[in-house]
Amino acid sequence: MKIGIIGHLKHPIAKPFAGGLETFTDSFVHSLTKRGHDVTLFASGDSDPTLPLVSIIKRATVADSKRRLQRVHHEWIESVENEAYASLMAGLAASNFDVIHNHTLSPLPLAFASTLPMPMITTLHTPPLPRMVDELADRGSDNSGAFVNISNANAERWRSCISQQTIIYNGVDTSFWKKCHQPKQRRAIWFGRILADKGPHHAIDAAHAAGLPIDIAGPVADSEYFDHEIQPRLQDTDCYHGHLTHEELCGLLSRSAVALVTPCWDEPFGLVVAEALACGTPVAGFARGALPELITPAVGRLACPGDSSDLARAALQCIDINGLACRRIAQKRFGFQRMVDQYESLYARHRLEAAA
């Protein structure tokens, strides 16, 4: 099939990835291409040039805003993204793609969906965003294409404005995320973007309460939060590793006894859970958002949201969970190729319906 992928524009689709959505888009495009599809990714020009990229904006908006203004200027970002997406959608109305797959955080593609000669599928990677909700209320979800959600919990949050949603769990490359041939160390790990919403301060407190040193890995997204809430908590046996490559992170993760996942918001999915399990590392996490769907007693333990003491209890209960079982379950439930299979089937169904 000839597939157009609309990426979001806030960060480039390039390593080191800013977050899960960039990681997902890169892997998804490469996988579809390897399967023989004719794929075009519409994203920022500073994305990975090895991708089948058509640039719709010179630089990703968050990085460009910081470069220009030394701060994130939300109105400027919104204006630039709106112009880029409106121009793209006008061009797509005269194109011959079989399907358009929208991964943006913008209402503009939804506004133009009914003008396209091909089906458009939107994957909802976030909880409801006000601008998208307003667009759906004005236009109606039936006129905005088809929708995929990444968890049942996130789908429920969108239910008031979108009644029909297909659930497809996000996937990870379990041929990459795997256990290295090194023994487990009695250490906890927390990884991800470092900001208050992700709650790494809870992970540090829980690890210490459980008597475990902790490794922290990820880019600092909020330097004030890091300086005041993370750095002072770190003890001599703990380590902040910075923003690791995926290869370095995989090795560190697979040696860890337990991964701590501490969302302070309703996480729509939680790729870090799938990545940890694929490396044979059980997960102790707060029971928020999609985490109760992902973390079963076979692979981890849930804790009361925001409760570091309960998370310490959960972490200690994870120590004896079988790592091979974690990996097998990750391969079955969260394998990347399983996810791509489901999307291919969805593309084919909507393509047939559009042709009927």
Side-chain angles (χ1 to χ4, degrees), residues 65-125:
S65 177
K66 289 178 179 178
R67 183 182 66 84
R68 291 166 181 260
L69 306 171
Q70 300 303 307
R71 64 187 178 90
V72 178
H73 194 306
H74 294 288
E75 290 182 2
W76 180 85
I77 287 175
E78 186 176 308
S79 173
V80 170
E81 291 184 356
N82 285 351
E83 182 179 347
Y85 285 132
S87 178
L88 168 64
M89 297 305 289
L92 291 178
S95 69
N96 63 345
F97 287 94
D98 293 311
V99 66
I100 299 297
H101 195 167
N102 172 32
H103 294 278
T104 74
L105 310 177
S106 167
L108 264 293
L110 303 179
F112 286 88
S114 62
T115 70
L116 300 181
M118 74 290 291
M120 185 179 87
I121 296 168
T122 295
T123 295
L124 300 166
H125 291 278

Side-chain angles (χ1 to χ4, degrees), residues 68 121 139 162 220 229 232 239 261 267 280:
R68 291 166 181 260
I121 296 168
R139 192 169 300 273
I162 306 172
V220 176
E229 299 294 338
C239 184
V261 182
E267 191 80 55

